[in-house]
């Protein structure tokens, strides 16, 4: 794993590759006591010729910088971030699965590692990047997801940290997610906390609704994470001539949608077979002849090098 440190008020300079293993933290470290931490997620893919591709790592770097500013943390530069990711993948390249068998998940972490008993920014920060080979995120594999709308819980509030990848955003969704899975659902779809009627996102991925030639997705207005996969799918869809709208999407629009799908680094593009809301189950089109499948095929083709990357999104690792 790649590790780099710096003190508050300074800049990150030079990191190094260490063996993957336990890290030492003070019991009073900022991340343990106050949740001062961010993470990112991206993947490396093996091409048929054996070389390895990254997908838009500079987007993750910029998102980390945005989150770090909100959390009063120094952050690596874009070049430092991308270099750290490259070094981590290079050191673990034997773990990158063969084409079609998965990918190497990359987890950059930025944490307040220094001791701070009072509520204040940590005096020291650690940026690390580790990896793991992965397959499908959901146990359903490529089967359509069955979501349930959360009516009691909310993922984020205006003015909070829902729009950044703070570590504090994720533990609170475990309770509703566990409850949903115990009832046979794949995951939870959250509504806004003010009006309780506009779609926000699923526990760890963005949501899209398809009606005719129009693809709608909730606008990122501070409570929704601006996903790299989300951004890429929007650009691909517009390139195919679909009308893509980033706006407030009412939960009522689920009732007559043609398709619903999720996007994210982990899930890529996942078709939604049904959404249950207010005790009613709404079903959607799935399968090979869908908009989501067309977008999925194009995205994964670019990510794995099977399609020409006309967007300049991929980065090859030597």
């Amino acid at each position: 794993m790649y590790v780099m440190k710096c003190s508050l008020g300074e800049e990150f300079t030079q990191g190094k590759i260490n063996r993957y293993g336990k890290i030492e933290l003070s019991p009073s470290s900022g991340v343990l006591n106050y949740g001062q931490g961010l993470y990112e997620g991206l993947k490396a893919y093996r091409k048929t010729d054996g070389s390895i591709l990254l997908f838009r790592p500079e987007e993750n770097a910029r998102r980390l910088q945005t989150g770090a500013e909100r959390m009063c943390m120094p952050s690596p530069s874009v070049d430092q971030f991308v270099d750290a990711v490259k070094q981590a993948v290079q050191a673990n390249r034997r773990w990158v699965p063969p084409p079609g068998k998965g990918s190497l998940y990359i987890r950059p972490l930025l944490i307040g590692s220094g001791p701070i008993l009072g509520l204040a920014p940590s005096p020291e920060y650690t940026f690390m990047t580790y990896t793991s080979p992965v397959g499908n995120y959901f146990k359903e594999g490529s089967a359509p997801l069955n979501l349930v709308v959360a009516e009691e819980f909310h993922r984020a509030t205006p003015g909070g940290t829902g729009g950044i990848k703070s570590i504090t955003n994720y533990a609170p969704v475990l309770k509703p997610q566990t409850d949903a899975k115990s009832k046979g659902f794949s995951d939870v779809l959250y509504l806004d906390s003010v009006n309780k009627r506009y779609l926000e996102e699923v526990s760890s991925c963005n949501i899209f609704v398809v009606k005719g030639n129009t693809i709608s997705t909730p606008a990122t207005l501070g409570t929704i994470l601006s996903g790299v996969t989300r951004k890429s799918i929007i650009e691909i869809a517009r390139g195919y001539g679909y009308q893509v709208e980033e706006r407030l999407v009412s939960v009522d629009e689920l009732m007559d949608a043609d398709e619903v799908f999720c996007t994210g680094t982990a899930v890529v593009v996942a078709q939604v077979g049904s959404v249950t809301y207010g005790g009613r189950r709404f079903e959607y089109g799935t399968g090979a002849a869908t908009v989501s499948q067309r977008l999925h095929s194009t995205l994964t083709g670019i990510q794995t090098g099977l399609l020409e990357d006309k967007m300049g999104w991929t980065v090859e690792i030597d």
Side-chain angles (χ1 to χ4, degrees):
M1 61 182 185
Y2 182 93
V3 180
M4 182 166 57
K5 295 178 181 287
C6 87
S7 298
L8 183 65
E10 298 181 357
E11 295 182 350
F12 283 99
T13 53
Q14 188 68 36
K16 63 178 181 177
I17 291 290
N18 294 340
R19 287 191 63 82
Y20 179 86
K22 296 179 180 179
I23 60 173
E24 187 173 295
L25 285 173
S26 166
S28 62
S29 63
V31 65
L32 292 181
N33 289 266
Y34 304 115
Q36 194 184 22
L38 297 160
Y39 80 85
E40 277 298 327
L42 60 160
K43 290 177 177 177
Y45 304 86
R46 191 178 297 277
K47 294 173 62 177
T48 53
D49 65 4
S51 59
I52 298 171
L53 291 178
L54 298 174
F55 184 73
R56 309 190 79 173
E58 71 287 345
E59 291 290 334
N60 297 89
R62 284 191 276 268
R63 188 169 65 181
L64 185 78
Q65 290 180 327
T66 300
E69 181 180 7
R70 174 67 174 83
M71 301 288 278
C72 296
M73 307 168 76
S75 62
S77 67
V78 171
D79 288 343
Q80 286 174 324
F81 180 99
V82 174
D83 179 63
V85 167
K86 285 182 176 180
Q87 288 196 45
V89 173
Q90 189 68 267
N92 293 286
R93 63 183 302 131
R94 69 191 182 98
W95 293 105
V96 183
K101 299 296 185 181
S103 56
L104 186 73
Y105 185 80
I106 307 158
R107 170 57 60 84
L109 271 172
L110 178 61
I111 61 172
S113 51
I116 185 76
L117 186 58
L119 180 56
S122 173
E124 181 193 74
Y125 296 85
T126 300
F127 173 73
M128 67 187 83
T129 303
Y130 64 93
T131 69
S132 175
V134 294
N136 285 316
Y137 180 75
F138 287 106
K139 68 179 180 62
E140 290 89 345
S142 58
L145 306 178
N146 296 298
L147 305 178
V148 61
V149 175
E151 298 183 63
E152 179 184 357
F153 298 97
H154 296 283
R155 179 190 166 273
T157 57
T161 59
I164 63 171
K165 214 161 174 63
S166 167
I167 62 173
T168 57
N169 292 342
Y170 295 89
V173 307
L174 296 178
K175 168 65 174 171
Q177 186 184 63
T178 301
D179 290 348
K181 289 186 176 182
S182 72
K183 297 172 184 174
F185 297 105
S186 309
D187 212 329
V188 179
L189 173 58
Y190 294 92
L191 302 179
D192 76 288
S193 62
V194 177
N195 301 288
K196 299 179 175 57
R197 68 178 291 238
Y198 296 108
L199 305 184
E200 294 229 312
E201 59 181 276
V202 182
S203 301
S204 59
C205 45
N206 296 115
I207 191 90
F208 287 77
V209 178
V210 182
K211 183 67 176 178
N213 195 56
T214 301
I215 303 174
S216 304
T217 190
T220 53
L221 301 174
T223 56
I224 299 170
L225 188 70
S226 182
V228 178
T229 308
R230 172 188 179 276
K231 181 177 181 178
S232 304
I233 285 296
I234 288 172
E235 293 181 52
I236 292 171
R238 285 176 174 157
Y240 278 136
Y242 294 104
Q243 180 180 337
V244 182
E245 299 177 349
E246 298 179 74
R247 58 176 175 82
L248 293 176
V249 181
S250 170
V251 66
D252 297 334
E253 295 182 48
L254 291 173
M255 297 178 187
D256 66 346
D258 298 331
E259 291 178 47
V260 176
F261 63 91
C262 299
T263 66
T265 298
V267 305
V268 191
V269 179
Q271 297 184 347
V272 175
S274 73
V275 174
T276 298
Y277 172 58
R280 298 175 63 190
R281 178 184 169 103
F282 304 97
E283 298 187 348
Y284 310 104
T286 59
T290 54
V291 173
S292 58
Q293 184 57 46
R294 183 185 189 188
L295 299 176
H296 175 275
S297 297
T298 302
L299 177 67
T300 55
I302 294 171
Q303 290 174 331
T304 58
L306 293 175
L307 293 179
E308 181 184 356
D309 177 18
K310 298 178 181 178
M311 307 284 199
W313 287 344
T314 56
V315 176
E316 188 162 335
I317 295 181
D318 299 328

